[in-house]
Amino acid sequence: RFYESAIRSFAERGAVEISCLRAEGKLIGAVVWLVFGDACFALKMAYDESFSRMSPGVMAFDLGYRHQAAVGNTSKINTITSTPAIDHWLPEKLQIRKYDLFNSTLRGRFFAAAATIRDLLRSRSGDA
């Protein structure tokens, strides 16, 4: 349901592309790309397991990757995941960090203190 909802939502804006790989007319691999501004996200890769020795999912990804890289307004391609198969393309890997910024007002300082306490409690319980 998640994939159907995401694909439908992006398709309504003309921002979804599907790269398909066929062998003798039969669909054997596909990758769903979500396009958001100048970034493309490889949302889902699928392939026919009877062709697994040929890596059709990776080949479909490569097809889509080359297409997205050639599009003039695409400057970032995000695989969302980090699998060994993707390392072949030598991607730049970034760690994502989250920062909470608060105003210097009394209310902002209160919420900053509350967030600090929350984070301390999470780290002590092992949820961080």
Side-chain angles (χ1 to χ4, degrees):
R1 289 185 193 163
F2 167 77
Y3 290 115
E4 289 174 356
S5 175
I7 291 167
R8 186 176 298 111
S9 174
F10 276 77
E12 288 171 357
R13 295 184 303 224
V16 65
E17 295 183 19
I18 302 175
S19 302
C20 297
L21 182 69
R22 297 181 187 278
E24 297 178 353
K26 181 179 180 181
L27 180 63
I28 64 169
V31 177
V32 175
W33 296 90
L34 302 180
V35 181
F36 189 77
D38 66 342
C40 295
F41 299 85
L43 177 66
K44 178 71 176 161
M45 181 187 309
Y47 62 92
D48 182 333
E49 291 187 16
S50 65
F51 289 85
S52 63
R53 69 187 184 327
M54 297 172 54
S55 302
V58 173
M59 290 177 17
F61 178 88
D62 187 53
L63 177 70
Y65 176 86
R66 291 172 190 270
H67 169 73
Q68 296 301 336
V71 175
N73 63 341
T74 301
S75 66
K76 296 179 234 30
I77 295 178
N78 189 325
T79 61
I80 301 175
T81 185
S82 179
T83 62
I86 301 304
D87 288 343
H88 173 72
W89 288 275
L90 303 174
E92 175 184 2
K93 294 184 178 182
L94 304 173
Q95 288 191 358
I96 305 299
R97 299 182 188 271
K98 179 183 173 217
Y99 295 95
D100 294 317
L101 303 175
F102 300 93
N103 289 329
S104 59
T105 63
L106 180 60
R107 183 176 179 185
R109 289 193 304 258
F110 170 80
F111 282 104
T116 300
I117 293 168
R118 177 200 65 208
D119 294 343
L120 284 171
L121 293 173
R122 282 184 181 167
S123 67
R124 288 184 182 163
S125 69
D127 291 341

